[in-house]
Structures are given as structure tokens and as C-alpha cells.
Amino acid sequence: MEAFGGVVSMRRGVQKPNVVTVKVASVADADNCCRMIRRCAIGSGDISCKPFPAYVNKNPPTEEGNPSDAAVVAYDFTKCRHRAPNQRSTFPAGPEIIIAGCASKSESDVMTYFSEKSFYPENVVKNADEGTFVVKFDTMATAIKALCECQFKIG
């Protein structure tokens, strides 16, 4: 979603934990997400977006927990270790992902990690100035699947 709108917070449904309400920075970002994200394949399922203009956030989310953990009910992405609500991803949607937080690793370490998980990147480039890696896959679907399965596990 970050490629289409600035994610501010997310909240899982109480009765349907696989349904997530995502608050974005503006109405234009919400419209863009809804237009661009329609039945995108992720793992064994898919993801879709629809507007929810009447949503009232009664219990504001916090920054506690890991947002990729299914047990976390709500998460606020605008706190100090993330970004401002209107800051969007500067990396366009495509078959590439950016990996941060593992500056001590080499390109071959990252390539080996993905290969062990049965993902075979076309290319891995390290940006030494920022300590990040740009990993390119053959398709955007493969990049999304690799991101979902491997997030927070390389470092």
C-alpha cells in the first residue's frame, strides 16, 4: 500500500482478524489505494481495498508490538521510528524491495538468505551510504510474497 498512499495506522477486525482497516494520510491516497489494489495475489490469498469514509477510531492505535504479528490488534506507523503521516514511499511499486537494518551483511549473505527460502532474486545491490539493499525479483508478485514471508528475519 505504501506505493499508493501514506499509511498512518492499521487495525485488525475483532471478529475477522484477517480484515484490516488501514488509515491513510488523505482522501486522495485512499482513492488511489482503492483504485490500484484490487485482488492482488499475496501468498495463498489476495488483498483488496475499499473506501470506508464513516470509520471512527474509538481506540487510537499505539506503536507497541510488531505490525506483522497476527496477535497485534492495532499499530500506529507515525511515531518517531517511522515517518510523518504525509510521507509516502519514494520507491514505486514494482518487482524490487528495499531491505534495511542489516548493514553488516553482504550482498551474497542476502542472496543466500533468499535462496534458502526458495526465492531467487535477479539482482541484489547494496547501498553502503544508507546500509540498505535493493533486491530485484522477476515479478512484483514474487517480491510481495518474499516480503511477506521474510520480513524482519534477515538481520
Side-chain angles (χ1 to χ4, degrees), residues 96-138:
E96 301 90 9
I97 60 175
I98 293 180
I99 300 172
C102 53
S104 63
K105 304 290 183 185
S106 70
E107 292 167 338
S108 62
D109 293 335
V110 174
M111 186 71 87
T112 302
Y113 174 79
F114 280 111
S115 296
E116 289 172 355
K117 301 291 183 185
S118 298
F119 294 106
Y120 303 99
E122 289 182 358
N123 193 13
V124 177
V125 178
K126 184 174 185 175
N127 182 342
D129 295 339
E130 297 178 12
T132 61
F133 293 88
V134 177
V135 182
K136 183 176 182 181
F137 293 93
D138 57 343

Side-chain angles (χ1 to χ4, degrees), residues 8-128:
V8 175
S9 65
M10 64 125 219
R11 179 174 301 282
R12 291 186 201 284
V14 176
Q15 283 137 356
K16 295 181 181 179
N18 61 333
V19 174
V20 178
T21 302
V22 178
K23 181 179 179 183
V24 293
S26 68
V27 172
D29 282 359
D31 289 342
N32 197 33
C33 288
C34 292
R35 191 176 74 251
M36 301 302 289
I37 302 173
R38 295 235 186 254
R39 296 198 173 159
C40 298
I42 292 183
S44 61
D46 61 18
I47 184 172
S48 288
C49 238
K50 67 178 183 177
F52 195 9
Y55 179 71
V56 177
N57 192 0
K58 296 178 183 174
N59 301 309
T62 65
E63 195 184 33
E64 297 172 9
N66 180 344
S68 65
D69 181 3
V72 173
V73 175
Y75 196 83
D76 184 354
F77 289 94
T78 60
K79 299 296 183 188
C80 62
R81 64 176 208 221
H82 297 289
R83 66 205 179 297
N86 61 348
Q87 181 184 356
R88 289 187 49 191
S89 172
T90 56
F91 203 65
E96 301 90 9
I97 60 175
I98 293 180
I99 300 172
C102 53
S104 63
K105 304 290 183 185
S106 70
E107 292 167 338
S108 62
D109 293 335
V110 174
M111 186 71 87
T112 302
Y113 174 79
F114 280 111
S115 296
E116 289 172 355
K117 301 291 183 185
S118 298
F119 294 106
Y120 303 99
E122 289 182 358
N123 193 13
V124 177
V125 178
K126 184 174 185 175
N127 182 342

